Amino acid sequence: MTDPIADYLTRLRNAIRANHKVVEIPASNLKKEITKVLFDKGFILNYKFQDGEHSQGIIKIALKYNPETKESAITTLERISTPGLRQYANTGSMPRVMNGLGVAILSTSKGVITDKEARTLNVGGEVLCYVY
């Protein structure tokens, strides 16, 4: 697999379109950190990391829906930096997703954080994806 983050986002996107409650995704450390950021920002209901005996383990993510309209908390997941074309941002060129309503997830020297946290910590990094 050449782009595991794109696979992660596609699995989430497909589960949301199919109105699944839970999605299972093969785990990696970067995917675990992205999952924690999505949970902290309220885009997913819950998550659980399960270690596999011989494999890398799986991440079980409980998706969040509005009980009245049955709409997902995540409307768009967009991959920005790809293995063929990496996208980096410094503090001056930090992206604002939907004028601050969405979240850009970055991989920085301080870990995987959002664009707002990167601005307050005054660090730049690789822009992994946009979520809104």
Side-chain angles (χ1 to χ4, degrees):
M1 184 179 311
T2 58
D3 193 0
I5 303 305
D7 177 62
Y8 171 88
L9 296 175
T10 301
R11 286 176 190 246
L12 277 176
R13 207 178 297 120
N14 290 342
I16 289 168
R17 287 203 178 131
N19 289 324
H20 289 303
K21 300 277 188 244
V22 177
V23 61
E24 292 184 357
I25 300 170
S28 73
N29 289 336
L30 184 59
K31 292 179 195 177
K32 288 179 182 179
E33 294 300 316
I34 293 172
T35 304
K36 289 176 186 175
V37 169
L38 290 175
F39 178 72
D40 290 340
K41 296 302 168 189
F43 287 109
I44 59 175
L45 198 59
N46 209 345
Y47 63 91
K48 183 161 68 168
F49 302 138
Q50 290 184 339
D51 292 329
E53 293 176 17
H54 302 289
S55 65
Q56 72 262 27
I58 59 171
I59 305 170
K60 284 190 176 182
I61 298 175
L63 299 172
K64 189 176 191 178
Y65 294 98
N66 185 341
E68 297 162 6
T69 61
K70 306 288 189 229
E71 287 185 28
S72 173
I74 300 173
T75 56
T76 304
L77 289 164
E78 185 179 348
R79 178 78 159 122
I80 302 302
S81 182
T82 61
L85 182 62
R86 300 286 184 190
Q87 299 290 329
Y88 296 97
N90 58 20
T91 54
S93 65
M94 195 67 62
R96 285 179 54 92
V97 182
M98 288 192 63
N99 210 12
L101 295 175
V103 172
I105 299 177
L106 286 89
S107 176
T108 67
S109 58
K110 305 283 186 191
V112 177
I113 56 176
T114 64
D115 56 334
K116 293 172 188 159
E117 293 168 348
R119 274 190 210 94
T120 58
L121 293 173
N122 199 25
V123 293
E126 182 181 356
V127 183
L128 297 176
C129 60
Y130 293 161
V131 183
Y132 52 94

